[in-house]
Amino acid sequence: MRSRDPTVKMTSFPWRSDATSVSQVPANFVLPEDKRPNLSDVSCLSIPIIDMKEMIDDPDRNPSPLLVEAIARACEDYGFFQIVNHGVPEELCQRMLKTVTKFFELSTEEKNKFFSDDVNKEVRFFSRYLKVENDEKVSMWSEVLYHHWHPQEDFTPPLPKNPPEYREVIAEYAKEIGALVTRLLSLISQGLGLEKDCLKRRMGETPTRRLQANYYPPCPEPELTLGLAPHTDFNALTIVNQSDGVTGLQVNKDGKWVAVDPIPNSFVVNIGDQIQVLSNDKYKSNLHRAVTNKHRRVSLAMFYGPGKDTEIGPIENFIDEEHPRVYRNYRYAEFMEEYHRQVGLRKRLKEAFRFDN
Ligand code: OGA
Ligand code: NI
C-alpha cells in the first residue's frame, strides 16, 4: 500500500521536467478502489456526430429541420455531441492547442507565476483533487490553466506572455468561438421550440466566458487515477477542442462510460447545468470525466454561461401539469457560490436548487 502524503505541492508533481520520471503513480494520485476508472468496462456506443456544413455555406440561412432535430436529439439523449464542418479554421484550432501545450511545457517556476487557490483570480494555474473519505484529498493527474475570454474586447493583458504568441492566438480564437456559440445557442433554442435568440438573451447582457485548458501528462498506471473526476459543467454551453489521436474524455450514458474518440477538426459540444435548468430537465447536463493514458493529452474547454447577476430558472414553456417546475429561480452568482462550496465533491450542485431537495 502506497501511503498518501497530504502535503503534496505543485512542485512535487511526478511528470514535471525537474522531477525524475516515474514508473508508478505516486500514492497521492491513487484513488480508493471504488473511485478508480475500470478502463475495460467502456460502452461500445459513441456520442452523435453532427455535420454543420450547411451553416458554413450560408450562415444567414434558416437551418434545415434535419440539423435542428439532430442537435435536439443529441441534447436530450446525451447532452453531448461532436460537430464537424463547424466553420472555425482548422489551422487556428491547431495553433491554439499548440500554444496552450507550449504553456504547459514551460518550467514549473514559470507556470507557478499564475498559481493560485483564489477562485476570484482572473488567471489561474492550478491542479485538481478529489475529496475521499475523511476529507482526504487525492490529486488528479492533470494541470489546469483557467481564465476569461471575450470575442470583442481586449481581455488579454493579464494573460501569460509566455509562450509569446499566447495572447494573440487566444484573441483570434475567442472571436471564432464567440460566433460559434451564437450559432449553436440559436440551433439549440430552435430545437427547444423557442425563438432563435432566446437562450442567448437568457444569459443576460454580460455573459460569463471562461476558458479551461487541461493538460493530462502521460500516465504509467491509468487504471489507478483520473485526470478529471466525474462532473457536470456548471455553465450553459461548453465547446471543447482536444488533441488528435488521444482518447480520454468519457461521457456517462445510462450508467456506462462512453469514450469520446477525437475526430480530426471537430469540437465536442456539451450542455451545462444552466441549460438543463432553463429547459426544466428536458436537456441533460451530463456527467463526464477524463481518464489518463500512456500518451499526453491536451484539451481546451471554452465555457459560456449567464452573467453573475442574471436570474436563471425553468422557462415557462417547459412547465405544465406533466412537467412541474423542478428548480427555483436563482441568481447565477448563487450557483457559482454553491459550486465553490462543493469543490472536490461536486456531487449535488443543481440538486441544491431543486424544489424537492
Ligand atoms: C472540462 C472537461 C474534458 C476534457 O474541462 O470541464 O470536461 O476532455 N474537459 O478534458
Ligand atoms: Ni467538463
Side-chain angles (χ1 to χ4, degrees):
M1 170 81 196
R2 297 166 217 181
S3 66
R4 292 195 186 108
D5 169 10
T7 62
V8 65
K9 299 264 162 41
M10 289 296 281
T11 47
S12 61
F13 276 24
W15 54 79
R16 295 293 160 82
S17 53
D18 44 5
T20 48
S21 71
V22 284
S23 57
Q24 273 200 332
V25 168
N28 306 70
F29 296 84
V30 177
L31 287 161
E33 256 171 63
D34 64 327
K35 301 246 171 3
R36 290 180 196 167
N38 193 4
L39 298 172
S40 57
D41 189 22
V42 172
S43 163
C44 56
L45 297 172
S46 53
I47 66 167
I49 298 169
I50 291 172
D51 189 337
M52 292 183 52
K53 183 158 186 312
E54 60 170 72
M55 304 294 289
I56 311 182
D57 294 344
D58 179 4
D60 297 326
R61 68 177 264 175
N62 279 328
S64 67
L66 224 61
L67 177 61
V68 172
E69 179 57 24
I71 291 181
R73 270 272 82 76
C75 292
E76 271 191 53
D77 294 347
Y78 285 89
F80 265 84
F81 50 97
Q82 298 203 74
I83 50 173
V84 293
N85 294 317
H86 43 65
V88 182
E90 177 170 11
E91 176 277 328
L92 177 60
C93 294
Q94 299 279 357
R95 186 149 45 96
M96 185 70 239
L97 264 192
K98 216 180 246 165
T99 306
V100 163
T101 306
K102 275 195 202 164
F103 173 83
F104 288 115
E105 285 170 345
L106 295 172
S107 69
T108 306
E109 188 189 0
E110 184 70 25
K111 287 186 285 190
N112 274 347
K113 288 182 184 162
F114 296 97
F115 177 78
S116 178
D117 277 334
D118 177 359
V119 296
N120 295 314
K121 268 269 154 69
E122 277 187 319
V123 187
R124 268 181 86 204
F125 172 65
F126 62 98
S127 65
R128 306 185 175 93
Y129 59 83
L130 186 68
K131 275 193 195 157
V132 294
E133 292 98 79
N134 308 326
D135 264 1
E136 205 180 345
K137 294 175 182 174
V138 178
S139 300
M140 300 286 97
W141 197 266
S142 57
E143 294 174 6
V144 188
L145 178 66
Y146 190 77
H147 61 73
H148 54 188
W149 61 274
H150 200 288
Q152 287 105 32
E153 284 163 26
D154 184 9
F155 61 96
T156 60
L159 302 188
K161 276 195 183 133
N162 201 356
E165 66 276 27
Y166 191 90
R167 297 178 178 195
E168 194 186 316
V169 180
I170 181 62
E172 203 179 329
Y173 191 71
K175 276 202 188 85
E176 293 285 342
I177 298 296
L180 182 59
V181 165
T182 303
R183 250 176 280 152
L184 285 166
L185 284 177
S186 163
L187 288 163
I188 296 169
S189 297
Q190 291 174 73
L192 282 166
L194 303 166
E195 302 265 315
K196 271 185 195 168
D197 60 349
C198 179
L199 286 176
K200 182 122 196 246
R201 272 192 293 111
R202 290 279 174 162
M203 299 298 126
E205 300 271 292
T206 49
T208 311
R209 302 176 185 89
R210 294 284 182 275
L211 167 161
Q212 179 154 289
N214 304 292
Y215 179 68
Y216 306 101
C219 180
E221 296 174 300
E223 60 286 354
L224 297 183
T225 185
L226 277 169
L228 176 53
H231 68 283
T232 63
D233 289 353
F234 69 89
N235 54 309
L237 192 72
T238 306
I239 298 182
V240 181
N241 178 0
Q242 57 173 335
S243 301
D244 271 343
V246 189
T247 68
L249 176 59
Q250 296 184 340
V251 175
N252 202 275
K253 173 74 177 156
D254 306 324
K256 272 235 174 203
W257 292 101
V258 174
V260 178
D261 287 325
I263 28 185
N265 197 19
S266 67
F267 288 114
V268 178
V269 178
N270 68 284
I271 297 291
D273 292 345
Q274 305 314 312
I275 290 186
Q276 176 162 346
V277 170
L278 286 162
S279 71
N280 203 30
D281 276 354
K282 189 171 166 68
Y283 283 1
K284 267 205 203 86
S285 164
N286 205 351
L287 264 187
H288 53 287
R289 68 180 186 183
V291 299
T292 63
N293 61 59
K294 303 251 147 93
H295 303 281
R296 175 185 78 183
R297 181 169 170 266
V298 178
S299 74
L300 182 64
M302 300 290 272
F303 297 134
Y304 189 90
K308 66 180 180 7
D309 292 320
T310 304
E311 191 172 88
I312 297 289
I315 299 175
E316 295 300 325
N317 306 38
F318 306 112
I319 304 169
D320 57 32
E321 244 172 66
E322 221 179 300
H323 307 94
R325 172 189 273 274
V326 181
Y327 304 94
R328 71 170 172 85
N329 287 3
Y330 53 82
R331 273 188 329 122
Y332 187 52
E334 279 182 75
F335 201 93
M336 289 201 286
E337 279 162 28
E338 185 63 32
Y339 170 81
H340 292 306
R341 255 197 297 280
Q342 294 195 27
V343 158
L345 299 166
R346 288 206 227 162
K347 276 289 152 60
R348 303 185 50 77
L349 202 50
K350 287 183 289 301
E351 288 72 7
F353 299 88
R354 283 179 76 105
F355 275 124
D356 59 3
N357 179 30

